[in-house]
Structures are given as structure tokens and as C-alpha cells.
Amino acid sequence: MAPVKALATVPRQRVRLEEQGVAEDRRLFLAHADDSVATLRHHPELTRVVPDLDLPERKLRVTLPDGTTATSSLDSTGRRLESRIFGKDRSGHVLDGPVADALSHHVGRSLRVVLAEGGGIGWDEGPVSLLGTASVADVLPPEVPGVGRFRMLVELGDTEPYEEDTWVGRRVRLGGALVRVTHSLKRCVVMNHSPVSGARDRNVLRGLVARRGRDLMCLGVIAEVVRPGDVALGDPVEVTSGGSE
């Protein structure tokens, strides 16, 4: 899960899937001084910053690579910001405080932290992303850092490589939730960067093309939530036929 779009992903033992996804997932995003959305393509070094979002306590804390931290209250919001990226409108309120200052100093460029007006604003393709660990292993050798590289919401065990592609159009039970897989996820150059250092450490995209061809540069799938529910680490995954439950 990525509480702040472009910052490091963080593991969760349990999440609540609602219609718009997980409430904390990509709940905040970053913007430049011209209000354009800042992404890992612009600032790959942001993946080294670890966010800790506490919605009930209304606060965001980030840990920088040197171990220092900065905390801002989610109630310290200023003007409304509207932007657009990847064909989707992004709106929210600028979050004032130390977190924006720390991130700006980290990248050497002014960044604004924006609290989305609700769930579902931060994700690009859909509320739920799924990827099998067997698919990852087919394109990445074990010595290359993989956790967090693909920035998926749910990682799946006990599947065959690219098995999740066969689920498009089908419903999948994830613990107490039910989702419908809508499409495969086309990939970009961001996954060429290490989730640990932010540096480009391997041409994963080229490896994916070599394995699957230029017409299938996909890894993982996107799903919509049919029935909300809790999903925990180790929960069973059950694929149903067609659109039935």
C-alpha cells in the first residue's frame, strides 16, 4: 500500500476494501509549484521516504533516508488544488507543515503535499491491483530488490506466472471481499528503479518485453470492488467463473 503517491510502499497485515479501494491507499499526493502532480518519474528518490499515515489520529509522518522524521496534521490544510495526470482529475487541499518542507529539501525542489478530498482520487487504473509473486519471479532474479518495485495493493502467492491475466472478466474472493478483475496492467519505466535506493538498477521493462513480447507489456491486473470486506495476510483467494458470486 502507498499512503502517499510516489513515496515508499508500506506493508499491512490487514486492509479494508471499500468501493473506492483502501481509504489510506494513495490518500495523499504530491504537487509541484505549478500544481502538476509529482511522480516517481520526476523524483525516483522519493521511494526512499517512508510514510506513516494515521487517518483516525489525523496525522502524517514521514521518515527520511537519514532517519529523521517530519510530522504534519491532516487538519492543517490550505487552499484547494486541482490537477490532472494519466487522464484522471486529482483534487484536494494543500497540507501545510513540516512534511512538505522535508520532502522539498529531500528532492531539492518545492513540493506540495495534497490531501485528497476522498478515497479513489490517488489511484490511476482502479481501486485494487493484484500481482502474483510467481509473475514477479519470472521477470526478476531473486537477488534484485522486488518488494515495493511494482507498487501493488495485493500480492498473491500460490499462483502460476501470469495466472492473474486469465482472471480478467472474472470475480475473485479476497478474504471477506469480492472483486471483479477488469484489465491487465500495462507497465512503464518506473519499475526499472530500485524500491530501496530509487536508482535505476535493472531494465525490468526490457526483461518483461523479452518474456512476453511488445504486445503484452503487462504485469498484474486491476480490479473493481463488488462487495466490500476485510482482507488479511494469508486469506484464501478464490476465483469464480464469469460474473457470478
Side-chain angles (χ1 to χ4, degrees):
M1 184 177 71
V4 183
K5 189 176 178 66
L7 299 192
T9 58
V10 293
R12 289 288 184 268
Q13 297 294 310
R14 178 182 296 271
V15 295
R16 174 74 182 180
L17 277 185
E18 299 289 355
E19 182 179 350
Q20 292 299 324
V22 177
E24 296 87 353
D25 188 41
R26 294 163 173 84
R27 189 57 179 266
L28 298 101
F29 61 93
L30 308 177
H32 297 122
D34 63 359
D35 290 352
S36 63
V37 176
T39 70
L40 283 173
R41 291 190 183 189
H42 304 113
H43 310 289
E45 66 272 27
L46 284 172
T47 195
R48 301 178 65 200
V49 181
V50 181
D52 181 9
L53 174 63
D54 191 329
L55 285 180
E57 294 294 326
R58 304 288 297 169
K59 66 180 181 181
L60 169 67
R61 184 179 70 176
V62 297
T63 302
L64 283 297
D66 63 1
T68 60
T69 64
T71 303
S72 292
S73 169
L74 299 186
D75 296 320
S76 301
T77 54
R79 71 175 181 88
R80 188 173 188 270
L81 182 147
E82 295 184 12
S83 191
R84 186 174 179 83
I85 188 173
F86 303 136
K88 185 178 180 183
D89 294 329
R90 319 285 172 153
S91 60
H93 288 82
V94 176
L95 188 68
D96 299 322
V99 170
D101 294 338
L103 296 180
S104 298
H105 183 266
H106 178 61
V107 302
R109 180 177 176 182
S110 178
L111 290 178
R112 297 186 175 100
V113 180
V114 185
L115 176 63
E117 294 179 329
I121 291 175
W123 45 256
D124 301 327
E125 297 274 351
V128 183
S129 54
L130 308 167
L131 177 60
T133 54
S135 301
V136 173
D138 196 59
V139 296
L140 271 186
E143 68 271 13
V144 177
V147 176
R149 183 183 297 267
F150 304 103
R151 306 184 68 79
M152 305 297 278
L153 182 62
V154 179
E155 293 184 359
L156 307 164
D158 299 323
T159 56
E160 296 297 319
Y162 316 115
E163 179 184 335
E164 55 270 24
D165 284 340
T166 68
W167 300 348
V168 174
R170 305 173 72 181
R171 296 189 177 193
V172 180
R173 289 193 182 93
L174 301 173
L178 182 70
V179 304
R180 185 179 72 86
V181 179
T182 56
H183 61 281
S184 296
L185 179 58
K186 190 172 182 179
R187 288 299 182 166
C188 66
V189 296
V190 168
M191 65 181 184
N192 290 341
H193 292 264
S194 167
V196 177
S197 67
R200 180 179 172 129
D201 64 344
R202 192 174 185 88
N203 196 331
V204 182
L205 191 60
R206 184 173 63 187
L208 182 61
V209 171
R211 300 295 288 178
R212 310 203 71 187
R214 290 191 176 276
D215 294 333
L216 196 57
M217 293 168 52
C218 299
L219 194 64
V221 295
I222 299 298
E224 62 185 9
V225 179
V226 176
R227 185 179 65 224
D230 293 331
V231 182
L233 184 66
D235 275 350
V237 177
E238 180 183 354
V239 182
T240 67
S241 59
S244 65
E245 296 191 19

